């Protein structure tokens, strides 16, 4: 990296023809996803397990609802994390402190008390909100705008994410099943620690690291302008934010202690915020004088893509909630004579995405200009997500109680459809987001994509409460049918989307 913090030269090809910094960031994501999804795979099982067995003793519906609320909080905080990195911390420092908070959160959850569980989840939410939106930004900074290696670099980075998603549940799931849930949380903590160590050791290869680490601000930085106008300097602003967060946490703890802030009310509050936040964000962008009429026209189809993402991720995130509960109670945990913990099903999702992504990419290259429009790729992804739930109607039907076990291949097949759908939707959706974004909101529009994930979790937090109250065929059938219908609706709107999304293909 040169002293000015510019992207490294194009002759930096040390990592499979890519810059060295990609190895550092990909390595961090392997361990971050290892810890986050490893913990996520056993979290709902821990909530639903009996207190005598080391769990929290929640009903299945409540366990799934609380798990979804945690996901809502993570993605809501991600919006603030991107803002903090842009305005105050810089990407490098935001990712560093985010990783530290995540590790501390997992270590807290390793302590076998309910209080430390909630403390840990709060720390992980804050840390992931800082880390997740800013790592991808740092990957982009490794390349100059005209560097042809950019797309291949992001493909390698995406592979790293799914390697962590595959490996995490294998380790934490085995420990949780054989040693205890808090042993699984400990493995997640150690994994995040490894990620932080290699991130700091490889920091010299990250473009712009020196500036962000020293709070050096560009001449036109909003934070610098604020300071010149008499506002708080960066370090003081960060301290004020920390004090504010602590104050909110203390107030929430006091409200819980006096019985006003119950778990149900907290979940409902997060759902409400997840609905209001994107509405406000869209309203601000549509009414902003800095958005041109052409850009405003391209925001209209983006609303459709936003809603499609919400519907799909509503299904996807249940791979770690209701599907985990179903696997733990009504699915065989043996394949070809090999016994495994129910949480290992979550690894199948990461494995399919690692294996299928290169074939999908090769297919698009082969088809060239004949490949489907971005909106159709997203629509197909939503339909596949719905089909993954409709598939579960077959093995869960025709049973009077919950004393049956379905073949493991049913859930594996469901995760295959879900993984393929995720590849189609996420890659096309994030690409379309960057192209449809108004210039004045180019960075913040990606926050809307995270808000679609928050909204999906917020809706899920309410819907999964019905998991205990309705039959499993009805639950999976209705939710799956709604997703399929939403995907078909996006396909029906394809002519309008192609016209209004121009020049996005």
């Amino acid at each position: 990296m040169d002293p000015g913090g510019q992207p490294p030269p194009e002759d930096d090809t040390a990592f499979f023809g890519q810059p060295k910094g990609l190895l550092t960031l990909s390595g961090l994501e392997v361990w971050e996803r290892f810890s986050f999804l490893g913990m996520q795979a056993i979290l709902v099982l821990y909530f639903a397990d009996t207190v005598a067995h080391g769990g929290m003793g929640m009903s299945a519906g409540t366990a799934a609802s609380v798990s979804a609320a945690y996901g809502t909080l993570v993605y809501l905080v991600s919006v603030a994390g991107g803002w903090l990195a842009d305005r105050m911390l810089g990407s490098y420092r935001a990712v560093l402190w985010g990783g530290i908070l995540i590790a501390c959160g997992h270590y807290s959850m390793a302590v076998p008390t309910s209080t430390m569980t909630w403390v840990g989840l709060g720390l992980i939410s804050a840390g992931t909100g800082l880390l997740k939106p800013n790592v991808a930004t740092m990957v982009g900074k490794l390349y100059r705008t005209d560097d042809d290696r950019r797309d291949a670099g992001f493909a390698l980075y995406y592979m790293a994410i799914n390697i962590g998603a595959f490996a995490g549940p294998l380790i934490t799931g085995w420990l949780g099943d054989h040693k205890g849930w808090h042993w699984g949380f400990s493995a997640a903590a150690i994994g995040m620690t490894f990620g932080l160590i290699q991130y700091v050791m490889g920091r010299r290869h990250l473009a712009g690291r020196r500036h962000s680490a020293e709070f050096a601000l560009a001449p036109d930085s909003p934070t610098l302008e604020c300071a010149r106008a008499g506002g708080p300097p960066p370090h003081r602003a960060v301290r004020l934010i920390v004090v504010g967060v602590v104050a909110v946490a203390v107030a929430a703890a006091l409200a819980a202690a006096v019985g006003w802030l119950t778990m149900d009310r907290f979940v409902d509050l997060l759902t409400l915020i997840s609905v209001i936040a994107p509405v406000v964000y869209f309203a601000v962008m549509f009414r902003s004088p800095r958005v041109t009429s052409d850009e405003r026209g391209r925001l209209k189809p983006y609303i459709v893509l936003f809603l499609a993402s919400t519907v799909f991720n509503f299904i996807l995130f249940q791979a770690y909630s209701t599907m985990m509960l179903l696997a733990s109670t009504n699915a065989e945990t043996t394949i070809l004579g090999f016994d495994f913990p129910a949480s290992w099903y979550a690894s199948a999702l990461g494995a399919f995405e690692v294996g299928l992504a290169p074939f999908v990419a090769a297919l698009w290259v082969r088809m060239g200009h004949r490949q489907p429009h971005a909106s159709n790729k997203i629509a197909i992804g939503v339909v596949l997500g719905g089909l993954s739930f409709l598939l579960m109607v077959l093995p869960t039907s025709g049973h009077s109680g919950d004393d049956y076990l379905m073949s493991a291949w049913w859930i594996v097949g469901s995760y295959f459809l879900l993984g393929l759908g995720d590849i189609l939707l996420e890659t096309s959706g994030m690409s379309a987001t960057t192209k449809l974004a108004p210039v004045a909101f180019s960075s913040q529009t990606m926050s809307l994509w995270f808000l679609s994930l928050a909204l999906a979790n917020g809706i899920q937090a309410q819907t999964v409460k019905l998991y205990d109250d309705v039959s499993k065929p009805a639950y999976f059938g209705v939710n799956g049918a709604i997703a399929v219908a939403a995907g078909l609706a996006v396909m029906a709107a394809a002519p309008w989307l192609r016209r209004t999304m121009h020049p996005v293909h």
Side-chain angles (χ1 to χ4, degrees):
M1 184 188 71
D2 67 280
Q6 296 298 316
E10 294 189 21
D11 59 1
D12 179 4
T13 58
F15 179 55
F16 293 104
Q18 302 292 329
K20 293 178 183 178
L22 185 63
L23 174 61
T24 299
L25 297 176
S26 296
L28 175 66
E29 270 292 3
V30 167
W31 289 111
E32 189 275 330
R33 290 291 92 180
F34 173 95
S35 63
F36 183 83
L37 293 178
M39 184 272 285
Q40 191 86 342
I42 63 174
L43 183 63
V44 71
L45 301 179
Y46 163 65
F47 283 155
D49 203 359
T50 62
V51 174
H53 197 254
M56 297 284 282
M58 298 181 185
S59 67
T62 301
S65 179
V66 175
S67 181
Y70 158 68
T72 306
L73 185 60
V74 166
Y75 290 109
L76 285 174
V77 175
S78 293
V79 177
W83 184 89
L84 282 172
D86 285 343
R87 299 300 182 100
M88 298 179 185
L89 296 176
S91 297
Y92 172 80
R93 190 174 285 249
V95 170
L96 176 63
W97 282 107
I100 292 172
L101 288 174
I102 292 170
C104 290
H106 286 301
Y107 281 117
S108 298
M109 293 189 69
V111 180
T113 66
S114 59
T115 299
M116 293 307 292
T117 293
W118 302 124
V119 169
L121 289 175
L123 290 172
I124 295 169
S125 297
T128 305
L130 278 173
L131 183 146
K132 192 63 181 171
N134 293 307
V135 178
T137 300
M138 295 184 74
V139 172
K141 290 178 180 178
L142 293 174
Y143 304 91
R144 299 184 185 277
T145 304
D146 57 352
D147 193 332
D148 291 334
R149 300 175 299 164
R150 178 185 291 266
D151 287 352
F154 269 98
L156 283 173
Y157 171 72
Y158 187 73
M159 289 282 287
I161 290 176
N162 287 300
I163 289 171
F166 167 71
L170 294 180
I171 304 299
T172 61
W174 187 90
L175 288 171
D177 192 63
H178 290 79
K179 299 293 184 181
W181 302 119
H182 297 282
W183 281 91
F185 299 144
S186 298
I190 294 171
M192 192 65 237
T193 302
F194 284 151
L196 278 172
I197 291 172
Q198 68 88 38
Y199 176 67
V200 173
M201 291 179 65
R203 66 188 183 279
R204 65 185 181 278
H205 304 303
L206 303 177
R209 191 272 310 173
R210 182 179 301 177
H211 282 191
S212 62
E214 299 297 333
F215 282 98
L217 300 172
D220 59 348
S221 165
T223 303
L224 186 55
E225 292 178 2
C226 178
R228 286 170 176 165
H235 286 86
R236 184 184 172 193
V238 172
R239 286 195 294 270
L240 289 174
I241 290 171
V242 171
V243 171
V245 170
V246 172
V248 170
V250 171
L254 291 175
V258 300
W260 184 86
L261 185 61
T262 63
M263 182 58 65
D264 285 341
R265 285 177 177 173
F266 183 65
V267 171
D268 293 344
L269 177 62
L270 287 178
T271 297
L272 181 62
I273 295 173
S274 74
V275 173
I276 293 174
V279 172
V280 171
Y281 232 109
F282 272 115
V284 168
M285 294 170 70
F286 271 106
R287 299 181 65 177
S288 173
R290 295 181 295 164
V291 177
T292 67
S293 59
D294 287 342
E295 290 174 333
R296 198 170 287 112
R298 287 193 292 270
L299 275 177
K300 293 177 182 178
Y302 187 69
I303 294 177
V304 176
L305 304 187
F306 175 91
L307 295 174
S309 171
T310 300
V311 172
F312 175 80
N313 283 291
F314 166 76
I315 301 291
L316 177 68
F317 290 136
Q318 292 193 63
Y320 299 95
S321 59
T322 55
M323 289 291 287
M324 281 291 95
L325 293 169
L326 181 67
S328 67
T329 57
N330 298 108
E332 295 178 354
T333 52
T334 300
I335 290 183
L336 302 177
F338 177 76
D339 294 324
F340 58 91
S343 53
W344 278 20
Y345 279 112
S347 289
L349 189 58
F352 283 133
E353 295 200 20
V354 170
L356 292 171
F359 291 100
V360 173
L363 176 63
W364 299 150
V365 171
R366 184 179 181 86
M367 294 182 70
H369 292 300
R370 295 180 291 109
Q371 64 183 280
H373 186 261
S375 63
N376 276 330
K377 293 178 184 176
I378 291 171
I380 294 170
V382 177
V383 170
L384 288 172
L387 291 176
S388 75
F389 258 35
L390 288 179
L391 180 64
M392 302 314 300
V393 173
L394 299 176
T396 57
S397 297
H399 303 284
S400 57
D402 284 339
D403 56 349
Y404 64 92
L405 290 178
M406 70 182 76
S407 167
W409 296 109
W410 287 106
I411 295 183
V412 170
S414 176
Y415 279 14
F416 173 84
L417 295 172
L418 199 55
L420 180 57
D422 192 32
I423 293 170
L424 295 176
L425 184 135
E426 289 298 330
T427 54
S428 299
M430 295 186 74
S431 176
T433 296
T434 60
K435 295 174 182 177
L436 295 173
V439 174
F441 292 86
S442 58
S443 297
Q444 297 177 62
T445 306
M446 188 56 70
S447 298
L448 271 174
W449 195 252
F450 284 105
L451 285 178
S452 75
L453 308 184
L455 179 57
N457 270 303
I459 296 172
Q460 182 199 166
Q462 302 302 320
T463 307
V464 294
K465 294 177 182 179
L466 301 174
Y467 183 75
D468 287 330
D469 301 329
V470 300
S471 68
K472 290 181 175 62
Y475 182 86
F476 289 107
V478 171
N479 286 325
I482 290 173
V484 169
L488 294 177
V490 175
M491 288 183 186
W496 176 77
L497 289 169
R498 280 195 296 269
R499 185 172 64 255
T500 53
M501 287 175 64
H502 181 77
V504 177
H505 299 292

